[in-house]
Amino acid sequence: MGRESRGAAGHGAYPRVRPCGDTALTIEFGETIDPDLNAKVLALDAELTAHPVAGVLETVPTYRSLLVHIDPVIADPEALAADLLAMAANLPPTGEAVRRWRIPVVYGGAFGVDLADVAARHGLSPSALIDAHCAPVYRVYMIGFMPGFTYLGGLDPRLATPRRSDPRPLIPASSVIIGGAQAAISSIAGPSGWHLLGRTPVRPYHPGRDPAFLIASGDEIVFEPIAEDHWRVLDKAAAAGEPVADMVAS
Amino acid sequence: MLGPASVQDLGRVGQYRFGVGTSGAMDDIALRAGNILLGNDENAAGVEIAFAPFKLRFNADAAFALTGADGGAELNGRLLPPWWRACAHAGDILVLKAMSRGARSYLTVAGGIDVPLVLGSRSTQLRGEFGGFHGRALQPGDILPCDRSESPDDAGELGAEPADIALRQRTLASGARRIRVIIAGEYDRYDEAARQLFWHTDWRVTPQSNRYGYRLEGPPVQPIVPIEKRSHGIVPGVIQIPPNGQPIIQLRDAQTSGGYPKFATVVEADLWRIGQAGLGSRLRFEPISHQEALAAQAEVSVYLERLRASVRLQGEL
């Protein structure tokens, strides 16, 4: 793509396509965290899966953009960009039923070391904070960052909490966390500046399980508080490869 | 130190959507060349070695190759040329004494390092702790399994033209490595002065550089107004500029998504040059067009094809 066409596009018009090196393109649908934008991303992703385009190797849905990995010898990026924009303008409604997962969580204490502080910060009792966190139906916007890390939208705006200025080098796997206006379920232990509210026995990623990855972009999540002794039972089952997250009617 | 030694093939594809990046050899050309010298599948797993001294003992007879950085390798005290295939006997000791001309050496063996395929690859996923050798970097005392079913016993010694010579770039007066890039998503959010600053700086590779990414040091490059981006997909080679103005090149073990603005992306044909850039070395970026990137990749293909042909020819003699 020439530098001229890039400059002419400005940054107000969506959808738009940007190069990402010589082996990938990004098609952007907007700038905000918005279920409609994310639905378009997923619809284009589904379209490219259903009708493969020569030279497209892999697609990666994110909040409001789709990353398209290409073999540049087969796919001409300029022509492909035009094709993607044409497809984006004529996306079929996705007929697929939404999957909704019920995710059991132990809140607070050693399972969610930041819960008391976050509640105090927002002038809520710990139980009011748990209620507020459990009330919404969350949308899975993307899986990214680390294997199986599940980014959620739909957090009660009252709970929005700036990320820690001092990120922790390691938080436990399967932590239920919030950062800014976002919520997430961590998958494997890793660094994080988000706040730990609780922990689920569910493994979003388990190498020995089929499927290894449980949750997909576009799925819905509801959280359900459970007691610590129940967590231990479910955790054992999850370690053995059980999903321990129930699929519930939406 | 740029990191430990680890088992890598050419990387894991098709798993980005689950948050799993490619991993794979930082210098894919060197790994391919080693496998070509041995008649292996070019995607066979080898050992990426990013430090010296490095020492190993062969527990069985094996043909092997060393490619990538010149490690000053000695087999039982006999100096081996760089980019070289040789045969070891059970009990032989291989030592890489010191890295010169590059930062990462690749040890490949006939048949490949025989670790299980995980999600389609033998590469080590360090963050996910899977793939490679038990999902971790190699430690003293580890015994690596080799697939000896296809091992050619009578392979003689053979050299390959090193990629850094065959694909040599004109050198810059400053001694910085020239790295070709394609401008990326947020380039238009920087004014001309910031752009020129980026293109005309010899960026220093800081000690916070490893397989996840290279953090660079130089004069801060700032956008016209601060940029707030939602997490989006990133690929190895993406150059992000966080608020401190110091660029980060995301590499093979990078997370699959990020939020910092993307200034440019290293072209596929030059990613291996980053893998061979050691701590303290300097990088100078040069914007090229997509057509020029294709031509650069074609040069790599020609080099590899020439190597395949010469190994075939040698095998027929």
Side-chain angles (χ1 to χ4, degrees):
Chain A
M1 214 178 286
R3 245 162 277 171
E4 297 72 22
S5 63
R6 196 186 327 280
H11 35 260
Y14 292 103
R16 63 178 194 178
V17 177
R18 291 288 183 268
C20 191
D22 53 338
T23 59
L25 296 173
T26 306
I27 177 163
E28 301 176 333
F29 287 86
E31 278 299 327
T32 53
I33 299 180
D34 176 300
D36 293 336
L37 288 183
N38 188 241
K40 286 182 184 170
V41 172
L42 297 180
L44 181 59
D45 181 53
E47 188 73 359
L48 285 165
T49 305
H51 307 287
V53 173
V56 171
L57 304 176
E58 185 172 354
T59 53
V60 191
T62 65
Y63 276 104
R64 28 114 248 152
S65 63
L66 185 71
L67 180 65
V68 181
H69 291 265
I70 63 167
D71 179 339
V73 177
I74 299 172
D76 172 59
E78 200 129 11
L80 181 62
D83 288 349
L84 291 175
L85 289 171
M87 289 170 86
N90 292 293
L91 289 175
T94 47
E96 218 173 297
V98 171
R99 298 191 301 177
R100 182 179 293 178
W101 300 95
R102 184 164 56 210
I103 305 286
V105 185
V106 179
Y107 283 95
F111 288 78
V113 293
D114 297 324
L115 182 112
D117 287 349
V118 172
R121 182 188 185 113
H122 297 297
L124 297 169
S125 67
S127 68
L129 179 113
I130 294 169
D131 289 347
H133 186 262
C134 282
V137 174
Y138 294 87
R139 178 188 177 86
V140 177
Y141 274 87
M142 61 183 275
I143 310 291
F145 180 51
M146 297 203 288
F149 188 98
T150 306
Y151 285 93
L152 306 174
L155 183 69
D156 184 332
R158 289 180 302 154
L159 303 190
T161 312
R163 293 184 179 98
R164 295 166 55 89
S165 54
D166 182 22
R168 294 188 172 97
L170 206 63
I171 67 164
S174 299
S175 289
V176 173
I177 56 183
I178 60 172
Q182 290 170 259
I185 308 169
S186 79
S187 53
I188 53 182
S192 178
W194 294 32
H195 304 273
L196 282 65
L197 301 188
R199 201 172 167 204
T200 173
V202 175
R203 270 76 166 162
Y205 165 69
H206 188 316
R209 183 183 60 206
D210 183 19
F213 298 95
L214 202 59
I215 301 164
S217 299
D219 287 357
E220 291 179 340
I221 299 283
V222 290
F223 291 112
E224 179 188 51
I226 57 165
E228 203 174 314
D229 50 354
H230 191 201
W231 187 92
R232 295 192 197 290
V233 174
L234 293 177
D235 186 57
K236 208 169 275 179
E242 298 286 323
V244 308
D246 296 327
M247 203 114 60
V248 294
S250 53
Chain B
M1 178 165 127
L2 284 163
S6 59
V7 174
Q8 303 290 344
D9 60 14
L10 293 175
R12 198 168 268 113
V13 295
Q15 305 293 331
Y16 270 106
R17 62 175 54 240
F18 299 115
V20 180
T22 61
S23 305
M26 290 280 283
D27 181 347
D28 53 325
I29 297 177
L31 180 70
R32 273 186 196 276
N35 282 326
I36 290 171
L37 280 170
L38 293 162
N40 286 349
D41 183 322
E42 288 177 31
N43 191 27
V47 181
E48 179 177 278
I49 303 158
F51 65 91
F54 179 92
K55 187 172 174 180
L56 71 87
R57 187 179 64 231
F58 288 91
N59 285 341
D61 295 359
F64 69 94
L66 283 167
T67 50
D70 181 0
E74 290 183 358
L75 182 64
N76 286 346
R78 178 171 69 95
L79 187 67
L80 298 177
W83 294 66
W84 198 254
R85 178 183 82 194
C87 292
H89 294 292
D92 283 357
I93 304 281
L94 179 71
V95 183
L96 274 64
K97 297 176 82 176
M99 295 288 174
S100 65
R101 245 187 52 221
R104 290 181 168 87
S105 289
Y106 291 83
L107 171 72
T108 41
V109 294
I113 303 292
D114 189 21
V115 294
L117 281 170
V118 181
L119 301 176
S121 166
R122 294 187 169 84
S123 287
T124 312
Q125 230 282 354
L126 289 171
R127 211 189 291 267
E129 298 179 355
F130 61 84
F133 186 77
H134 302 302
R136 61 165 171 80
L138 297 181
Q139 294 166 2
D142 285 346
I143 297 173
L144 290 170
C146 299
D147 182 351
R148 301 186 22 82
S149 55
E150 293 172 41
S151 178
D153 295 329
D154 52 355
E157 302 213 348
L158 181 65
E161 184 185 19
D164 59 331
I165 293 173
L167 300 170
R168 189 171 33 221
Q169 297 268 19
R170 64 178 164 74
T171 39
L172 296 162
S174 64
R177 278 166 193 262
R178 181 169 158 252
I179 303 293
R180 292 164 293 186
V181 303
I182 289 180
I183 59 172
E186 283 70 61
Y187 183 76
D188 56 8
R189 313 284 279 270
Y190 294 81
D191 66 18
E192 195 53 30
R195 294 175 183 180
Q196 292 310 317
L197 186 62
F198 183 86
W199 302 126
H200 291 108
T201 296
D202 288 344
W203 294 96
R204 196 177 70 86
V205 176
T206 71
Q208 288 79 47
S209 298
N210 50 39
R211 289 183 45 87
Y212 293 98
Y214 273 31
R215 287 175 180 267
L216 307 179
E217 186 181 82
V221 172
Q222 299 292 355
I224 301 161
V225 290
I227 302 171
E228 192 61 44
K229 295 287 289 183
R230 301 296 167 204
S231 290
H232 49 262
I234 55 179
V235 299
V238 161
I239 302 171
Q240 300 176 314
I241 305 187
N244 68 4
Q246 304 291 286
I248 301 170
I249 314 174
Q250 298 291 350
L251 293 166
R252 302 283 181 190
D253 284 345
Q255 58 200 48
T256 59
S257 57
Y260 292 137
K262 303 181 294 292
F263 190 93
T265 309
V266 177
V267 299
E268 188 80 358
D270 279 356
L271 270 179
W272 68 278
R273 296 182 203 274
I274 308 279
Q276 292 299 356
L279 302 184
S281 63
R282 285 167 190 277
L283 309 177
R284 176 81 75 104
F285 299 103
E286 179 182 317
I288 63 170
S289 69
H290 187 79
Q291 288 311 316
E292 290 168 317
L294 280 179
Q297 190 57 35
E299 278 177 41
V300 172
S301 300
V302 167
Y303 161 73
L304 289 171
E305 192 44 53
R306 203 165 59 220
L307 181 58
R308 288 181 199 111
S310 75
V311 171
R312 265 199 309 272
L313 186 64
Q314 196 270 348
E316 286 162 9
L317 290 178

